Amino acid sequence: MHIFPAIDLYDGKAVRLFKGDYAKMTVYSDKPWEIALDFKAQGATHIHIVDLEGAKNGDTPNLETVKKIIQTTDLFSEIGGGIRSMEVVDRYLTSGLDRVILGYNQAEKLSRSQFAQIMNKLLGRDENASVIPAEGSYCIPDISKERSDYSHLMEATVAHTHSDDGAA
């Protein structure tokens, strides 16, 4: 089992939201890569990054900060937050991230060829979703026959995020 300590990003800073409320944001550092280095010094081998601004607008406003975290730590890194297009997936993966996290609504929109291109770099799980990935499959409610033909090829990884206390 791998534990992924998380860093939530907003305006290039490491932050936490209280119960997902942007108005109740606490800034922990304006150098998130230093927090990631501390995680590594404490034995972490993986890191989970959330782009809170990206979650709002679907873009990559904290990409330079993400790159610095990756370059500074060399941890296995995954990111979530607003990934709504293959362009954003490509931007993150070509920047050195090891994995991207899509929610069910976004994964459902991928074509067969798009899914095949990134299936080992993709996962998703929302705490409010009614279905979770099982037996290595990416289970999407009302999954189409086309997608079910290759969903079993996904690596067996489950990411569960929890936001009641502001943690992602």
Side-chain angles (χ1 to χ4, degrees):
M1 176 189 319
H2 296 287
I3 304 296
F4 287 68
I7 296 178
D8 293 354
L9 300 174
Y10 190 91
D11 194 27
K13 298 172 178 67
V15 304
R16 280 288 183 216
L17 304 180
F18 181 72
K19 295 187 177 187
D21 186 346
Y22 284 76
K24 296 180 181 175
M25 182 183 304
T26 301
V27 176
Y28 286 95
S29 175
D30 60 353
K31 297 177 183 173
W33 52 92
E34 290 180 356
I35 292 174
L37 281 171
D38 187 45
F39 289 153
K40 184 175 181 176
Q42 294 180 51
T45 57
H46 296 67
I47 192 161
H48 174 77
I49 303 166
V50 178
D51 187 331
L52 294 172
E53 287 170 285
K56 279 185 160 184
N57 66 29
D59 202 4
T60 57
N62 289 289
L63 185 60
E64 292 308 312
T65 302
V66 170
K67 287 179 184 178
K68 187 147 185 175
I69 291 170
I70 295 166
Q71 294 164 354
T72 303
T73 65
D74 197 35
L75 294 169
F76 179 95
S77 57
E78 65 180 28
I79 192 161
I83 302 170
R84 300 182 183 120
S85 70
M86 282 301 296
E87 178 185 330
V88 170
V89 168
D90 290 340
R91 195 176 306 149
Y92 278 134
L93 293 178
T94 59
S95 295
L97 280 141
D98 296 293
R99 184 163 51 208
V100 295
I101 300 172
L102 291 168
Y104 289 117
N105 292 339
Q106 300 312 314
E108 197 170 32
K109 295 175 186 174
L110 294 178
S111 70
R112 183 183 181 96
S113 63
Q114 290 171 325
F115 189 92
Q117 286 175 341
I118 62 170
M119 66 185 173
N120 289 322
K121 303 256 183 210
L122 170 74
L123 75 116
R125 165 71 171 111
D126 185 310
E127 70 174 16
N128 297 317
S130 59
V131 179
I132 62 168
E135 298 176 11
S137 297
Y138 189 81
C139 301
I140 302 171
D142 302 320
I143 192 166
S144 69
K145 171 73 172 109
E146 179 182 356
R147 285 187 180 80
S148 65
D149 288 344
Y150 55 90
S151 65
H152 68 284
L153 300 173
M154 284 290 294
E155 66 182 38
T157 305
V158 175
H160 178 79
T161 59
H162 179 72
S163 60
D164 281 349
D165 61 357

